[in-house]
Amino acid sequence: MGTPIIQIENVSKSFGSLSVLNGLSFDVASGEKLALIGPSGSGKTTILRLLMTLETINDGVIYIDGEPLWHMEKAGMLVPADETHLHKMRAKIGMVFQLFNLFPHKTVLENVTLAPTLTGKLSKPDANNLALELLDMVGLADKAEQKPAQLSGGQKQRVAIARALALKPKIMLFDEVTSALDPELVEEVLNVMHRLAAETDMTMLLVTHEMSFARDFADRVLFFDGGRIVEQGKPEEIFSNPQQERTQSFLKKIVAGGRQI
């Protein structure tokens, strides 16, 4: 298996007096598709935000591709990372947010090319070529010159996926990417993610309440509650035969709410 691409070791995170994660540890293998499920407030999105360096950790160590994320080595010891180290580590990770976060005054093409050109990863012509390839992949090559306001929610989310892919990350994080969409637009976004999972060896972490998609998409499912992993396993095990009472209760409520698993 080699070294896991993500290693989370005894990580704790609090917001004031509210403890969200307390000594959390788990690994993610390179190329693994991992679904994080659980009730709201269970710590799932916080994990993604720590990986994306949008929130700082209070304790523990996170390794990305064998390197510490929030720390760096100095004289054989781990010390808090400086901004140069964080900037280097961020280049390995892309994230797609719940609410798209596109720049409204820029065209679709400009939204996708902005990061690769600003970071100096690609020249403007190369960034344009890559952006058009990615927009074609997500089915939006014909929208390249439009502004976000001219797109549906599902189209905006597909642009956001193309934008994250433009930096060629090793790891992609998806945070409830369909929860802000009208039900009829959900499928078009999930289809793009299915294609990504099938056609790339990218490591992907998905926080979702779409249980049927998590079942199809994931190699492994982690069920969180209260900032800890209550149960984990292959999707068939978690969704068809959960062992923990808390997992059983959560999935029953999902079914009772009319959602498929």
Side-chain angles (χ1 to χ4, degrees):
M1 291 289 288
T3 303
I5 194 166
I6 300 172
Q7 296 165 275
I8 293 177
E9 297 184 356
N10 297 311
V11 166
S12 296
K13 174 62 182 174
S14 298
F15 296 99
S17 60
L18 177 65
S19 176
V20 180
L21 303 174
N22 188 12
L24 179 70
S25 298
F26 69 92
D27 293 346
V28 184
S30 182
E32 188 173 16
K33 313 299 186 268
L34 189 69
L36 281 56
I37 67 169
S40 297
S42 59
K44 311 180 299 298
T45 290
T46 298
I47 292 163
L48 299 195
R49 292 180 64 83
L50 292 176
L51 291 171
M52 199 63 197
T53 69
L54 296 172
E55 303 285 356
T56 58
I57 60 174
N58 297 127
D59 201 8
V61 184
I62 297 174
Y63 293 90
I64 301 293
D65 210 15
E67 281 190 89
L69 175 63
W70 280 103
H71 299 81
M72 54 188 189
E73 292 187 16
K74 210 170 191 176
M77 296 180 63
L78 286 181
V79 300
D82 60 22
E83 191 54 42
T84 301
H85 177 81
L86 289 172
H87 182 75
K88 179 187 79 168
M89 297 302 290
R90 284 184 194 117
K92 301 182 181 189
I93 305 171
M95 185 164 176
V96 183
F97 297 87
Q98 183 177 346
L99 294 174
F100 327 131
N101 292 3
L102 300 177
F103 292 106
H105 60 289
K106 292 187 178 294
T107 66
V108 165
L109 185 65
E110 288 168 339
N111 267 281
V112 179
T113 59
L114 186 63
T117 51
L118 278 181
T119 57
K121 278 196 167 187
L122 294 174
S123 67
K124 191 67 182 291
D126 287 344
N128 279 347
N129 289 337
L130 175 61
L132 290 170
E133 285 177 26
L134 293 171
L135 288 171
D136 186 53
M137 190 199 78
V138 300
L140 292 173
D142 60 329
K143 306 292 185 186
E145 298 305 324
Q146 294 192 4
K147 297 282 181 66
Q150 297 171 276
L151 305 179
S152 71
Q155 289 170 336
K156 289 176 187 174
Q157 197 58 286
R158 286 186 280 154
V159 173
I161 292 172
R163 180 183 58 183
L165 290 171
L167 284 170
K168 301 182 178 179
K170 291 187 174 185
I171 300 164
M172 278 283 281
L173 311 175
F174 298 92
D175 183 23
E176 296 281 13
V177 294
T178 60
S179 64
L181 301 179
D182 293 334
E184 64 268 22
L185 301 177
V186 168
E187 188 175 358
E188 65 186 60
V189 175
L190 297 185
N191 285 341
V192 169
M193 293 173 64
H194 263 308
R195 184 175 174 187
L196 265 182
E199 296 181 5
T200 75
D201 59 0
M202 195 180 300
T203 305
M204 299 167 72
L205 274 68
L206 169 75
V207 168
T208 187
H209 283 102
E210 299 281 348
M211 298 300 141
S212 58
F213 178 68
R215 187 175 195 146
D216 292 341
F217 166 90
D219 300 314
R220 182 164 54 115
V221 176
L222 272 56
F223 173 67
F224 282 81
D225 191 37
R228 65 186 184 92
I229 299 170
V230 174
E231 189 167 356
Q232 62 177 302
K234 293 185 180 301
E236 196 59 34
E237 296 168 358
I238 297 296
F239 292 118
S240 296
N241 190 28
Q243 299 300 301
Q244 299 299 317
E245 187 177 334
R246 183 67 187 93
T247 317
Q248 294 167 7
S249 167
F250 174 77
L251 292 175
K252 279 179 186 172
K253 287 177 182 174
I254 293 286
V255 173
R259 295 197 182 196
Q260 291 185 330
I261 62 170

